[in-house]
Amino acid sequence: MRRTLLCAALPLFLALAACGGDDETPDENSVEEVDGEAAAGPDEDEAAAAAQAVAEGFLASFAAGDGEAGCAFVDESAQAAIIAQGGGAEDCAEAFPEYVANVPGADAIEIGEVTVSTDLDGDALIANVELVHAEESPGALEVRQGNDGEWRATRLPGTTLGGA
């Protein structure tokens, strides 16, 4: 009889022990502090992954010389900056090859560190993708999520304009 009571009480005890403790459940979008520094939450991780994908696609278009693809990875203001460097080109895709030719080390740029921060208001996430080359300093890509939900580069290496 005692054995039956103990066996029956054990699951109840385990269930109560599992339910005990802090009644608050953490918000999945909250940022936890680890060793005095904020740890990346889901939003920051998603922004970093999106920026990485934009950078990979953008750099692949560099290597292929594909203006249509390259311009699809940048927003309208960055496209205007590419066109401004295009020597009379009428659209981004037409100006893209000349833009690439003017970026230092465009032939061998790799993706470096991706850092995520917010805009000045603290409302929108911005990802900065460091671009790395063994002999040149190509700069970085700034990537943001647009009103349409798509992530695009807003600032490009080798341009004086093209930012939000």
Side-chain angles (χ1 to χ4, degrees):
M1 176 84 166
R2 284 186 191 178
R3 181 176 247 175
T4 306
L5 285 176
L6 280 174
C7 290
L10 185 59
L12 179 61
F13 175 74
L14 291 174
L16 289 173
C19 293
D22 195 3
D23 288 344
E24 292 183 29
T25 56
D27 177 10
E28 72 177 38
N29 292 325
S30 68
V31 176
E32 294 181 24
E33 198 166 298
V34 179
D35 295 332
E37 294 186 23
D43 289 343
E44 290 88 354
D45 293 342
E46 290 169 11
Q52 179 86 22
V54 168
E56 288 171 356
F58 188 71
L59 292 180
S61 66
F62 259 53
D66 186 346
E68 290 288 330
C71 293
F73 288 103
V74 301
D75 73 352
E76 289 180 18
S77 62
Q79 287 181 16
I82 292 172
I83 294 168
Q85 293 184 2
E90 293 185 25
D91 65 20
C92 183
E94 183 182 337
F96 195 77
E98 189 167 335
Y99 161 68
V100 172
N102 291 320
V103 174
D107 58 336
I109 295 175
E110 296 180 5
I111 297 170
E113 183 178 359
V114 177
T115 56
V116 178
S117 60
T118 61
D119 64 1
L120 294 175
D121 296 329
D123 296 333
L125 292 175
I126 301 170
N128 189 57
V129 181
E130 177 187 18
L131 300 178
V132 181
H133 186 278
E135 298 171 6
E136 302 288 340
S137 179
L141 282 178
E142 180 182 278
V143 181
R144 297 180 186 214
Q145 188 174 26
N147 293 335
D148 61 358
E150 295 294 319
W151 287 83
R152 291 190 181 85
T154 56
R155 294 186 194 264
L156 308 173
T159 63
T160 54
L161 302 173

